Amino acid sequence: MAQELGPSSRGMLLGAALRRGLILTIVLAVVGAALGFVGGTLRADSVTARTAVLIAPLEGNPFSPDGSGEDLMNLLTEAELVSSDAVARLSAEKLGVAIASEELLAGLSVTVPPNTQILEFEYTATDGDMAVRRADAFSEAYLDYRRARSEGRSNELTERIEAQIEQRVQEVDRLFRDLDEAPIPSQERTLLQGQIDSVSTQIGQLRTTLSEMGMGSSDPGQVITPAAISSSGFLNSRALYSLGGLILGLIAGLVLAVLRSERNASIQGVDDIEAASLPLLGQVRFSDLGVGPTRGESSASTFGSSWRQLRVSLLTQFRKRPLTILLASASDIPESQCPLSSWGMAEATASGTLDTILVDASGGLPQGGTDSHPGLTEVLRGQIELSEALVRAGDHLRVLPAGMAKEDIEDLLFSPSTSKLIDEVKRLADVVLIVAGPIRGSRARVITTMVDVVIVEAAGGVTGMQELANMSTQAVEPAELGGVIYVDGPRRLLARSVPYARS
């Protein structure tokens, strides 16, 4: 089971991810800067003209002289009115162009400065003269529309009041005729006189209201700031947009690096192993893994230099003889998986004239035609002697294959016979190399208690960073962690080598 990563391990994973993603981050930054430059260029091609209108209170409008002047919702309503189709049509008439209202309104924006009775018009267009003319047209059309609305409302009220006055005058004439016909003195005459006085008073009030309406102002407001091109300044410059795109590209690269570190991204080089605070024993190329057992012939002529360097690192660090080594994989792969460097490690020590025995406890070691040969499973069951199961694979190199019952290896490794077998193998060799599956698998864990050194193999593009980060010295106790062998090669070839099939 994977351990919870501490802050230091997370920092190492992030640092490694940043190093791996450096090229991608640079590419994203360059692309972001280029897109920002294009956006800045397009922005620079557009021009904005601004004008301001002071709203005057009018009768018959939401923002009227009877209000307190503090209800800004009225001004917001007026701002929305500017963007109406009616105002857009008036603006088109003033411009003398046949253009759809939607197209004309596309470049318009209206704002209300806080605690003011002012509307600010902004019109953006590709041409400065066009922006100025359209900003002026909208401000004038809006004022004309306000005036027309106010005058229309006033005319409507005037007509209604005049109609009421006419009705009252006719009523007074009728009452006077009735009064002339009434007897003197009489109660009827007194009642008619009272009605005449009441209707006359109403007529006077209506005429007063009509007179006051005629004295009202019809000024809807005025333009206090003529339309003019606003300076773009640094905010609209290409440099700022390019810088913004560059910063966004860098941020995108960092975010991807964080996501990759959190998603158990695969290692890409030896730097990732160092980032996980694990010692690097050596690095081998994928092409060197194809060197197989020579079957009694000297392997020195075909032995790669990377294996020689790995042998020097191993044997100078661990001088104990006999030396028992467990070689396991860092990846959490099936138990049958055999580390890709198994044969190379065995041939490396054997080419140094050290008697080497390679023990296959993984069940996946390519045997070169000895798959049906009795081996480890038969020895652990006591069916054959160790000397009968060993197969010579080259000068100073013998192999103990998995045997014919590979599926029983895991159960047999827990038997007391395993410890006795390892002691016997150590008496026959200078170096005993036992290969198993994943380092956190049950086979590797039981063998760890019987060996001197544990070596872990990590393959580029296959082994995950978190799999390395979860490893520690304590994970292989009581054995000593000898280091990590990094297998470098094309990712697709490494991924296909699970389990590894030799040529």
Side-chain angles (χ1 to χ4, degrees):
M1 180 179 296
Q3 303 172 355
E4 182 68 22
L5 296 179
S8 59
S9 296
R10 290 185 181 277
M12 292 172 185
L13 288 177
L14 179 59
L18 289 175
R19 288 192 297 272
R20 291 197 307 271
L22 180 60
I23 295 179
L24 176 61
T25 301
I26 294 175
V27 171
L28 290 176
V30 172
V31 172
L35 292 176
F37 181 81
V38 172
T41 301
L42 295 177
R43 179 69 178 176
D45 290 340
S46 62
V47 181
T48 300
R50 290 184 175 86
T51 183
V53 173
L54 176 64
I55 302 299
L58 286 175
E59 290 286 354
N61 280 267
F63 192 68
S64 67
D66 296 332
S68 63
E70 297 176 357
D71 185 4
L72 296 183
M73 287 299 295
N74 293 330
L75 281 180
L76 294 177
T77 302
E78 293 292 317
E80 291 295 326
L81 182 63
V82 178
S83 301
S84 65
D85 288 341
V87 176
R89 288 193 294 270
L90 286 177
S91 301
E93 292 177 3
K94 288 183 175 294
L95 292 169
V97 295
I99 184 173
S101 298
E102 294 80 6
E103 182 179 351
L104 190 59
L105 290 170
L108 177 68
S109 63
V110 184
T111 57
V112 181
N115 301 318
T116 67
Q117 297 174 207
I118 295 175
L119 297 181
E120 290 186 346
F121 293 66
E122 290 187 357
Y123 200 94
T124 302
T126 56
D127 178 72
D129 184 59
M130 178 189 296
V132 170
R133 286 188 290 105
R134 292 190 176 184
D136 278 334
F138 267 100
S139 62
E140 294 173 3
Y142 166 67
L143 292 177
D144 290 346
Y145 185 74
R146 283 196 87 226
R147 181 183 293 107
R149 288 174 59 212
S150 178
E151 291 178 349
R153 177 62 175 168
S154 178
N155 293 336
E156 180 183 352
L157 292 175
T158 299
E159 292 176 357
R160 290 172 56 187
I161 293 175
E162 289 177 345
Q164 292 178 14
I165 292 175
E166 180 64 26
Q167 292 175 358
R168 297 297 184 272
V169 169
Q170 294 176 1
E171 186 177 354
V172 168
D173 292 340
R174 181 181 58 78
L175 290 173
F176 271 116
R177 288 194 297 271
D178 293 342
L179 181 64
D180 291 339
E181 297 175 358
I184 302 174
S186 67
Q187 185 176 1
E188 180 184 1
R189 188 178 181 87
T190 303
L191 180 60
L192 289 172
Q193 187 63 51
Q195 292 177 349
I196 291 173
D197 294 339
S198 175
V199 174
S200 299
T201 301
Q202 293 178 19
I203 293 174
Q205 292 174 346
L206 290 172
R207 286 175 174 170
T208 300
T209 302
L210 188 61
S211 176
E212 291 175 352
M213 289 182 58
M215 297 175 60
S217 173
S218 62
D219 181 16
Q222 58 183 333
V223 176
I224 58 175
T225 303
I229 301 299
S230 59
S231 59
S232 60
F234 183 68
L235 291 179
N236 289 336
S237 66
R238 294 181 179 89
L240 179 63
Y241 277 77
S242 300
L243 179 61
L246 177 66
I247 294 175
L248 290 178
L250 291 174
I251 293 175
L254 293 176
V255 170
L256 289 177
V258 172
L259 292 178
R260 293 182 66 185
S261 68
E262 293 293 334
R263 291 181 54 203
N264 192 25
S266 300
I267 62 175
Q268 303 297 319
V270 294
D271 290 342
D272 293 338
I273 297 175
E274 297 173 354
S277 299
L278 295 174
L280 178 66
L281 187 63
Q283 177 180 359
V284 295
R285 297 183 300 272
F286 181 80
S287 57
D288 291 338
L289 298 175
V291 180
T294 56
R295 301 295 175 201
E297 301 176 1
S298 174
S299 61
S301 60
T302 58
F303 193 64
S305 61
S306 58
W307 292 113
R308 291 191 177 91
Q309 295 173 3
L310 191 149
R311 179 184 62 195
V312 171
S313 299
L314 175 65
L315 298 181
T316 55
Q317 182 179 357
F318 303 100
R319 298 179 179 274
K320 179 183 176 181
R321 303 291 182 273
L323 179 64
T324 55
I325 304 171
L326 169 65
L327 177 59
S329 172
S331 300
D332 293 328
I333 48 182
E335 291 286 353
S336 61
Q337 170 62 23
C338 179
L340 305 179
S341 57
S342 300
W343 277 110
M345 279 286 297
E347 292 174 347
T349 55
S351 65
T353 68
L354 294 174
D355 288 333
T356 302
I357 294 180
L358 177 62
V359 180
D360 181 16
S362 69
L365 181 69
Q367 299 298 322
T370 63
D371 293 342
S372 60
H373 192 280
L376 177 63
T377 55
E378 286 72 27
V379 173
L380 292 178
R381 286 174 173 169
Q383 297 174 352
I384 61 173
E385 296 295 327
L386 175 62
S387 58
E388 300 176 61
L390 289 174
V391 177
R392 179 164 294 279
D395 292 343
H396 304 285
L397 176 60
R398 286 174 289 177
V399 179
L400 179 60
M404 294 181 290
K406 298 178 181 179
E407 64 278 1
D408 297 332
I409 290 180
E410 185 169 342
D411 294 331
L412 293 172
L413 286 176
F414 284 90
S415 67
S417 301
T418 303
S419 178
K420 296 179 183 180
L421 172 64
I422 292 179
D423 290 339
E424 186 177 356
V425 173
K426 290 166 63 175
R427 288 193 292 269
L428 300 176
D430 298 313
V431 177
V432 177
L433 181 63
I434 306 174
V435 295
I439 187 59
R440 286 177 288 276
S442 57
R443 299 182 189 183
R445 289 165 62 186
V446 68
I447 297 174
T448 298
T449 62
M450 307 176 191
V451 298
D452 302 316
V453 180
V454 174
I455 297 175
V456 181
E457 177 189 274
V462 176
T463 304
M465 278 297 299
Q466 287 191 7
E467 290 173 333
L468 287 183
N470 286 330
M471 292 180 55
S472 64
T473 302
Q474 290 75 20
V476 299
E477 290 181 347
E480 183 177 355
L481 180 61
V484 178
I485 298 177
Y486 177 70
V487 180
D488 185 17
R491 180 181 302 182
R492 60 182 181 84
L493 295 180
L494 289 174
R496 291 176 180 175
S497 303
V498 181
Y500 174 56
R502 302 182 63 82
S503 58

